[in-house]
Amino acid sequence: MVWTHVFFWRKFFILNCIDDYYHSDSSAIETTFHWSSGNDVYVGPGTEWEGDLSFETYSEYLISQGISSDSGLTIDYSTGDFVLNTDYGSLTASNVTDVWGTLGDDTITTRNEEGDINDTWVDPGRGGHNTIIAGSSEDKFRIDNKVDPSDFSVTIENYENREEIALALDYGFTEADYINQVVATYDDDNGSTSISVIGPDVINHEGIVTLEGGNFVISEYIYYDDGDVAIALNDASKETPSDHNSI
């Protein structure tokens, strides 16, 4: 059985511990399928509409069973299709574009460009030390605030110039000073760039994001009314994809 809630344009599926099945046709609104125990099947729309998977409920399930949520998942949706097997069942998913991670250490490989699918969105979750391996689509990354910064970091491999990184959920950014509150620093020894949130008015997260394989500088900032900040970065030695124009 699948319980459904609709909020504006997005349809959320609240699942149970038996075997669930949902097939979203090409005319469907954007859908979000939340992991549950049992053997489940999710087929996203497969068009420019988005097919989203959330694994926040995986961590919630572990906690409800008295199990540590430190262990994350390896999620490879580079082709849009994958099978995830856990001790609590399997998930067979197709036409996936966007993913929310767990509270643990996740490794997430994002979608490659194919047909009508030319961008993808990923949030590694609010915990763990995570690795995102970016695919050939234009990736958008959302990095949520974590109260304990020592227990959270994100490493992004294959970051492309001018891809959006959103820093969300109450970092404490101020409209008057947000440009100074997000900084990028190049580590010549490791050949990587770290992104930090710093300043007296914000929740400090030094090196919250690491971009592997490049000397990236922040080329664009956006401040949103809800206090979130989005940035895009650029490495002058790398080619910028033609469709990466602005965030």
Side-chain angles (χ1 to χ4, degrees), residues 141 156 159-167 182-185 193-196 209-211 214-221 230-236 238 240-241 244 247:
F141 308 93
I156 301 175
Y159 176 84
E160 295 179 324
N161 283 348
R162 303 196 60 73
E163 290 184 320
E164 177 180 331
I165 299 175
L167 301 166
V182 183
V183 299
T185 307
T193 301
S194 65
I195 300 169
S196 300
V209 178
T210 299
L211 305 180
N215 183 3
F216 294 94
V217 298
I218 301 175
S219 57
E220 187 173 356
Y221 297 81
I231 60 173
L233 299 92
N234 186 73
D235 181 333
K238 298 180 181 294
T240 301
H244 291 29
I247 60 174

Side-chain angles (χ1 to χ4, degrees), residues 70-122:
D70 291 343
S71 296
L73 296 172
T74 297
I75 304 162
D76 183 346
Y77 67 106
S78 55
T79 67
D81 305 335
F82 72 98
V83 176
L84 176 69
N85 293 306
T86 71
D87 292 339
Y88 318 105
S90 66
L91 170 62
T92 301
S94 302
N95 298 333
V96 176
T97 59
D98 304 336
V99 163
W100 282 269
T102 73
L103 295 176
D105 301 340
D106 296 322
T107 299
I108 303 173
T109 303
T110 70
R111 184 74 185 262
N112 288 319
E113 188 169 356
E114 179 185 2
D116 292 331
I117 306 300
N118 55 24
D119 63 57
T120 186
W121 183 94
V122 59

Side-chain angles (χ1 to χ4, degrees), residues 186-192 212-214:
Y186 179 62
D187 183 338
D188 188 55
D189 292 335
N190 295 319
S192 61
E212 295 285 4

Side-chain angles (χ1 to χ4, degrees), residues 6-12 28-31 49-50 52:
V6 178
F7 298 100
F8 301 104
W9 70 91
R10 186 187 295 268
K11 185 176 288 186
F12 294 84
I29 62 175
E30 181 180 353
T31 59
W49 293 104
E50 297 177 359
D52 300 359

Side-chain angles (χ1 to χ4, degrees), residues 9-196:
W9 70 91
R10 186 187 295 268
K11 185 176 288 186
F12 294 84
F13 296 95
I14 312 301
L15 308 179
N16 55 36
C17 60
I18 62 175
D19 299 346
D20 301 303
Y21 178 87
Y22 180 77
H23 188 155
S24 177
D25 64 35
S26 60
S27 64
I29 62 175
E30 181 180 353
T31 59
T32 300
F33 192 93
H34 292 257
W35 180 93
S36 69
S37 59
N39 298 316
D40 302 334
V41 176
Y42 168 64
V43 182
T47 66
E48 68 273 19
W49 293 104
E50 297 177 359
D52 300 359
L53 281 178
S54 174
F55 294 96
E56 295 171 317
T57 45
Y58 176 78
S59 296
E60 293 169 1
Y61 178 81
L62 294 182
I63 293 169
S64 73
Q65 302 299 306
I67 302 169
S68 170
S69 62
D70 291 343
S71 296
L73 296 172
T74 297
I75 304 162
D76 183 346
Y77 67 106
S78 55
T79 67
D81 305 335
F82 72 98
V83 176
L84 176 69
N85 293 306
T86 71
D87 292 339
Y88 318 105
S90 66
L91 170 62
T92 301
S94 302
N95 298 333
V96 176
T97 59
D98 304 336
V99 163
W100 282 269
T102 73
L103 295 176
D105 301 340
D106 296 322
T107 299
I108 303 173
T109 303
T110 70
R111 184 74 185 262
N112 288 319
E113 188 169 356
E114 179 185 2
D116 292 331
I117 306 300
N118 55 24
D119 63 57
T120 186
W121 183 94
V122 59
D123 181 334
R126 299 194 70 188
H129 299 286
N130 306 283
T131 299
I132 299 173
I133 304 169
S136 62
S137 293
E138 179 179 2
D139 294 287
K140 301 179 188 299
F141 308 93
R142 176 183 166 104
I143 312 299
D144 290 336
N145 174 40
K146 181 72 166 57
V147 175
D148 180 6
S150 67
D151 190 35
F152 182 57
S153 65
V154 181
T155 298
I156 301 175
E157 300 178 9
N158 305 331
Y159 176 84
E160 295 179 324
N161 283 348
R162 303 196 60 73
E163 290 184 320
E164 177 180 331
I165 299 175
L167 301 166
L169 293 182
D170 301 324
Y171 282 91
F173 297 119
T174 59
E175 187 171 7
D177 202 32
Y178 66 92
I179 290 178
N180 298 315
Q181 293 167 339
V182 183
V183 299
T185 307
Y186 179 62
D187 183 338
D188 188 55
D189 292 335
N190 295 319
S192 61
T193 301
S194 65
I195 300 169
S196 300

